[in-house]
Amino acid sequence: MSEANGSQNGLTRRSFLKASGAAVGALGLAGTAMLTADEWLAPAQAHADEQERTGYTFHYRHCQCNCHLKCTVRDGRMALVEPNDWPDKRNETICLKGISEIQHVYSVDRLQVPLKRVGERGSGEFVEITWDEALDAVAQGIQKVWSDYGKQAIAYMPSVDTLSVNLGRILGAQEKPHRGIDIGLGNGFSPAIAESGGQGAASNEMKDWKNAKTILNVGCNVLETCMVTAPYFFEALEAGAEIITIDPNYCTTAAKSSRWIPIEPGTDAALYLGMMSLILENEWYDEAYLRENTSMPFLVDEADGSLLRDHPAESPKETGADNPFMVWDAVSDSMQPYDADGVDPKLDASIEIDGKTYSTVFRKFKKQHEAYPIEWAAEKTGVSEEVLREITEKYACNGPSILSFGFGGADKFSNADVSGHAAVVLATLVGTFGSEDGAGAGAYVNAYQKVFGAGKLPNWPLPEECKAASAPKESVDIRDDKSGIRMLYFQDGAIQQCSANMNETAKWIDTLDFVVAQEIYHTPSVDYADIVLPTCSHFELDQEIGSLRALRGHALLQQKVLDPLFESRTDFWIETEIAKRLGYGDAIPESYEELVRYQLDNAKDEAVKGITLEELIESNGVVALNDQPEIARSYVGQKYATASGKIDLYYENLVNYGQALPAWEDPCEAYAGNPLRDEYPLQFFQRRTKYHIHCNMVDSTWIQQFFKPSVEMNPVDAESRGLASGDIVEVVNDRGSFSCECVITNAIRPGTVAVVEGIWDKYLESGAIQSVTNDTAIDRGPALPKGRVIPFNDTLVEVKKA
């Protein structure tokens, strides 16, 4: 394994500088290039005048915590990172990742200078160039793609943590095109309630868990993936809620829950379908809620599966008000528009008119569930009938109830949309949405980013032609020919993070005209770039004022902690220089301060109105948003932005795929009975960890004291292969392989193997994690709201001693 201060392909930054003939002084580092953490934090010499000041900034958004940090700078070096003093004391948060930034910002893997590729893509062979050379090359590459293919041929893939604000619109690019990550469950969950983020964000925030009686936490290691919510988890336990974590493996959250129930990977949809069959069988559903607030009473033409409307559709965008859905009215005993005055729709009905048969959605739902009895669900999931009956009765009858899921498990299977669809139907059956305190459903790890405590900030006004392009709907993969992508501009290790089957991805990248990486660290993705632009961390600014955020109930201001290190530049500076070269220099703000003042002065969101920059500075970068509820909940008053204004559980656009209502579908690869298991018998998955944020912090040497890359497997599987903890093993299938150390643990389910996601190639013995992952595209991908999911965890492998 490479040492912590190593680099890609055996080339360290020091050897690079030596090979390129670049002197340290030429980089403006005054002889301090790539000092170790010990050197940076060594006591100042006795004769030196101590200089100490405090700076404030926010940390990564990607882990949902959005921690605002108070940083002490001593003798020009960041020496202490601690929580800022928030008005809400519960939000004074920090974890090992934030503390480790003392060392991490000085990492040996910091990109110090602009680079130009000289070897093959993926080889990591670069030479140093000047900023003018780099920016001119980027601008010329962009202009050539514009000229040859059009603006939509650029894929702009920023992180949620990027501090660029206008670049995607200036490029006119496909911004975050269909790339298949963290959208699997949302594809099935979100359409029913018109959840705006499309990722299945929870209907209420996690603070509300203390008001619940029964909480089903399915496939979500929330105590590691969203650590800021931990107090709410334990508050719920103390208040008497039963938290039942259902997960294939024994994770941190399972250990702290009231109960852990192991489940066969990829069978979450079977769990929900079996639970719904029990609810129907025992009539535990809320009939009045379903009739009044959902599409369950809507009539469906049995011949073609279409929803019956008042008249033939004149436009695919017609709403329920324009062309009402039809129901069978119990009062008049006739077909009526669902929104007609005095209508009392029958929930369970089937009628014949003029030789055509129409059934309510609910009748079709009941009929379909005859295929999913509890015995079937028990066989599929590996959860006993007795346990399934127990947890279903608790969920349906011992409410208020919450159904929580995450992005790291079922979301990464080919049948993820079925799981999401089944989850939203299950939650609706018991009257979850817009209901009482302590009732909710969705991805609680996503709530703070998409729904709660977030204030909307206006975009800087750009010329009309500056707008992001839409990714072609018929494309379900950035690698598809239909995507039309000829240039990739990415940040935050996006290539490895968002692509499976890396060997095929590398072939696709090699066909592109131009690739740009705007990165802080030398992630594995950097090696595929033609031009590399080194950017600053969140702690570095060339101005006193930086970016503005409005999340977790507060407006957060980035302020200078450090000057830019090495030859790195801020995202804002890079964006500005590219805009100038593309002819938009006069159209963008001159400084972060001008942008922030514009956002605050022109905010239409009542949560942000009235907050001033001066107030933020005086309050050390943190001001509470206006009129925030004690606990935020969505869909209050049963208001939904769906076509009908109700919860639309029947997906008419998926009729031809057999998924208008959630119907069981095996995973595409990791299913029982797959003949491929004869050669590759182990299901491979990538798990989340408290130590990293996707691929961020992987290079932090302080964190490496607590974690190193490994393949985790059950003792049963290890013994049959003659493996022991500490052995170097190879994980292999017909897509590729990688090698690293093996750790044997009972926390991993027999028949599965796990690695932490985002691990950089350099920390493995050989290969890349994504070289083995599944990239199968399902047929209905283009019909799903966010395109097809990449089934990273729907992968079979074998493990053997290297």
Side-chain angles (χ1 to χ4, degrees):
M1 183 179 297
S2 301
E3 294 182 2
N5 63 350
S7 171
Q8 311 288 95
N9 303 303
L11 181 68
T12 67
R13 299 301 171 272
R14 289 191 181 91
S15 65
F16 166 80
L17 293 173
K18 183 178 180 180
S20 67
V24 171
L27 298 181
L29 303 182
T32 60
M34 307 318 298
L35 288 173
T36 67
D38 289 341
E39 290 170 313
W40 274 105
L41 299 178
Q45 296 181 17
H47 66 269
D49 293 329
E50 183 177 10
Q51 294 181 356
E52 183 169 305
R53 65 181 182 83
T54 302
Y56 301 91
T57 189
F58 45 66
H59 205 218
Y60 293 109
R61 174 180 171 183
H62 226 145
C63 61
Q64 306 301 318
C65 298
N66 298 287
C67 299
H68 204 272
L69 305 175
K70 177 181 178 181
C71 307
T72 300
V73 178
R74 184 176 300 129
D75 298 329
R77 305 166 186 173
M78 192 159 70
L80 178 65
V81 179
E82 56 189 323
N84 197 355
D85 300 325
W86 290 49
D88 179 355
K89 298 299 181 184
R90 290 293 300 277
N91 283 342
E92 289 183 7
T93 51
I94 196 169
C95 72
L96 182 64
K97 296 188 286 288
I99 295 170
S100 294
E101 291 288 11
I102 299 172
Q103 174 273 323
H104 190 227
V105 295
Y106 307 112
S107 167
V108 296
D109 282 293
R110 277 293 296 262
L111 290 163
Q112 298 182 55
V113 295
L115 302 174
K116 177 182 178 180
R117 178 175 62 85
V118 292
E120 295 181 357
R121 281 185 181 147
S123 68
E125 296 175 15
F126 298 98
V127 294
E128 175 189 343
I129 57 177
T130 67
W131 267 108
D132 280 338
E133 289 172 328
L135 292 166
D136 288 346
V138 170
Q140 290 164 13
I142 292 168
Q143 289 167 329
K144 188 174 190 311
V145 171
W146 281 359
S147 174
D148 292 350
Y149 310 105
K151 293 183 175 182
Q152 76 286 345
I154 300 175
Y156 177 55
M157 298 174 69
S159 162
V160 297
D161 290 306
T162 181
L163 301 181
S164 296
V165 288
N166 297 307
L167 188 55
R169 292 187 294 152
I170 290 170
L171 296 178
Q174 298 179 33
E175 188 163 354
K176 294 187 178 179
H178 299 303
R179 59 186 189 180
I181 185 169
D182 291 347
I183 50 87
L185 292 168
N187 267 335
F189 185 92
S190 298
I193 51 179
E195 185 272 304
S196 60
Q199 291 182 282
S203 59
N204 52 334
E205 62 177 319
M206 202 165 168
K207 288 181 182 179
D208 206 16
W209 278 28
K210 66 185 178 184
N211 296 313
K213 295 297 184 186
T214 302
I215 299 170
L216 297 186
N217 179 55
V218 185
C220 183
N221 190 6
V222 65
L223 292 183
E224 293 208 34
T225 61
C226 193
M227 293 170 68
V228 72
T229 61
Y232 311 132
F233 180 97
F234 292 109
E235 248 183 22
L237 287 175
E238 291 169 6
E242 183 177 12
I243 301 179
I244 303 170
T245 289
I246 304 172
D247 195 290
N249 303 288
Y250 191 65
C251 59
T252 300
T253 305
K256 300 299 181 182
S257 297
S258 310
R259 185 176 182 184
W260 168 56
I261 299 173
I263 186 174
E264 190 69 29
T267 64
D268 296 51
L271 170 74
Y272 302 142
L273 291 170
M275 291 178 66
M276 287 189 283
S277 291
L278 277 177
I279 290 172
L280 291 170
E281 176 187 326
N282 292 281
E283 297 186 353
W284 289 334
Y285 53 86
D286 188 333
E287 180 174 350
Y289 182 91
L290 294 176
R291 284 194 296 104
E292 294 169 12
N293 303 310
T294 79
S295 63
M296 283 293 194
F298 294 179
L299 292 171
V300 179
D301 188 333
E302 291 283 8
D304 61 9
S306 64
L307 288 166
L308 187 62
R309 299 261 193 149
D310 181 61
H311 57 265
E314 299 174 1
S315 164
K317 294 185 178 180
E318 282 185 331
T319 66
D322 298 326
N323 190 2
F325 300 96
M326 304 302 286
V327 298
W328 192 259
D329 178 31
V331 176
S332 62
D333 200 31
S334 66
M335 191 182 298
Q336 295 292 331
Y338 77 102
D339 56 354
D341 290 340
V343 70
D344 182 16
K346 281 192 174 182
L347 181 64
D348 189 357
S350 183
I351 57 173
E352 187 171 326
I353 300 177
D354 297 331
K356 286 190 173 185
T357 301
Y358 302 98
S359 299
T360 61
V361 171
F362 185 77
R363 171 65 66 90
K364 289 183 68 65
F365 174 66
K366 284 180 62 178
K367 180 68 176 175
Q368 182 169 301
H369 269 72
E370 292 175 3
Y372 309 124
I374 194 65
E375 299 83 6
W376 170 88
E379 181 180 356
K380 282 289 183 184
T381 63
V383 181
S384 72
E385 289 183 42
E386 180 183 6
V387 170
L388 284 174
R389 291 182 186 278
E390 178 191 353
I391 64 173
T392 303
E393 184 171 6
K394 285 180 177 178
Y395 178 73
C397 305
N398 188 31
S401 297
I402 281 172
L403 176 61
S404 164
F405 54 76
F407 297 142
D411 191 74
K412 303 298 188 291
F413 281 81
S414 65
N415 61 1
D417 62 299
V418 182
S419 296
H421 194 180
V424 76
V425 177
L426 172 62
T428 303
L429 283 181
V430 296
T432 289
F433 299 102
S435 188
E436 60 188 318
D437 296 355
Y444 284 84
V445 294
N446 195 35
Y448 288 108
Q449 186 163 305
K450 295 293 184 185
V451 181
F452 304 119
K456 191 169 183 180
L457 298 170
N459 289 324
W460 180 267
L462 291 174
E464 179 64 27
E465 69 269 21
C466 293
K467 55 186 177 182
S470 298
K473 188 60 181 175
E474 65 269 24
S475 172
V476 293
D477 187 336
I478 59 172
R479 301 181 316 192
D480 285 352
D481 291 339
K482 294 177 181 179
S483 73
I485 294 170
R486 301 304 312 159
M487 172 183 168
L488 196 59
Y489 192 121
F490 69 85
Q491 299 167 324
D492 204 26
I495 293 176
Q496 263 80 8
Q497 193 64 42
C498 302
S499 300
N501 195 350
M502 192 60 206
N503 290 328
E504 292 301 313
T505 301
K507 291 177 185 177
W508 171 75
I509 293 172
D510 205 40
T511 69
L512 298 179
D513 290 29
F514 197 46
V515 181
V516 179
Q518 184 173 317
E519 297 269 21
I520 306 173
Y521 303 98
H522 194 137
T523 68
S525 295
V526 166
D527 286 339
Y528 293 90
D530 298 308
I531 299 293
V532 182
L533 307 177
T535 191
C536 296
S537 71
H538 284 29
F539 301 86
E540 301 157 49
L541 280 174
D542 53 9
Q543 310 167 29
E544 293 302 316
I545 300 301
S547 185
L548 179 67
R549 225 178 243 174
L551 286 166
R552 279 192 71 201
H554 294 79
L556 310 175
L557 180 67
Q558 178 199 24
Q559 299 178 69
K560 180 190 283 190
V561 176
L562 299 168
D563 288 316
L565 293 174
F566 317 119
E567 286 295 305
S568 66
R569 296 290 185 267
T570 65
D571 290 325
F572 184 87
W573 185 90
I574 294 170
E575 176 182 289
T576 299
E577 291 299 317
I578 291 175
K580 289 177 182 176
R581 286 164 171 79
L582 297 177
Y584 293 105
D586 294 334
I588 60 175
E590 294 183 358
S591 65
Y592 263 132
E593 180 175 341
E594 184 180 8
L595 172 63
V596 169
R597 288 192 184 278
Y598 174 85
Q599 290 175 315
L600 292 173
D601 292 345
N602 294 275
K604 294 187 177 359
D605 190 331
E606 293 296 332
V608 182
K609 276 187 178 180
I611 297 175
T612 66
L613 178 57
E614 287 70 26
E615 184 182 7
L616 278 162
I617 294 172
E618 186 177 347
S619 302
N620 296 334
V622 184
V623 172
L625 297 178
N626 302 320
D627 300 323
Q628 294 296 292
E630 181 182 350
I631 296 176
R633 301 179 180 91
S634 298
Y635 318 116
V636 176
Q638 299 300 331
K639 295 180 180 179
Y640 306 90
T642 57
S644 68
K646 297 179 181 291
I647 303 175
D648 284 343
L649 300 170
Y650 187 84
Y651 296 171
E652 194 173 15
N653 67 313
L654 298 182
V655 167
N656 292 336
Y657 301 99
Q659 290 294 345
L661 290 165
W664 171 251
E665 178 179 281
D666 278 317
C668 67
E669 182 167 302
Y671 62 90
N674 185 352
L676 190 62
R677 284 186 180 268
D678 293 339
E679 188 173 0
Y680 305 117
L682 301 172
Q683 183 250 338
F684 170 83
F685 71 98
Q686 299 176 63
R687 68 174 181 86
R688 303 283 172 85
T689 173
K690 60 188 174 186
Y691 296 118
H692 306 148
I693 311 167
H694 298 304
C695 65
N696 293 328
M697 310 297 296
V698 173
D699 61 310
S700 171
T701 54
W702 283 9
I703 288 177
Q704 287 168 12
Q705 298 174 78
F706 304 97
F707 172 85
K708 62 180 178 179
S710 61
V711 173
E712 301 167 76
M713 61 191 309
N714 188 272
V716 172
D717 297 318
E719 182 178 2
S720 65
R721 291 164 174 79
L723 300 176
S725 288
D727 286 347
I728 303 300
V729 298
E730 182 183 20
V731 180
V732 61
N733 60 20
D734 56 6
R735 300 184 189 98
S737 67
F738 68 91
S739 298
C740 65
E741 187 173 308
C742 179
V743 170
I744 312 304
T745 171
N746 281 306
I748 299 299
R749 182 183 181 88
T752 67
V753 292
V755 297
V756 165
E757 68 160 359
I759 299 297
W760 297 6
D761 304 357
K762 64 172 282 187
Y763 296 113
L764 301 171
E765 292 295 323
S766 66
I769 290 172
Q770 298 294 33
S771 65
V772 303
T773 46
N774 188 359
D775 60 344
T776 302
I778 58 174
D779 291 342
R780 65 179 174 278
L784 300 175
K786 292 281 187 176
R788 67 98 177 191
V789 67
I790 299 176
F792 293 98
N793 292 347
D794 202 344
T795 294
L796 293 177
V797 300
E798 179 57 290
V799 176
K800 56 188 178 182
K801 188 175 289 188

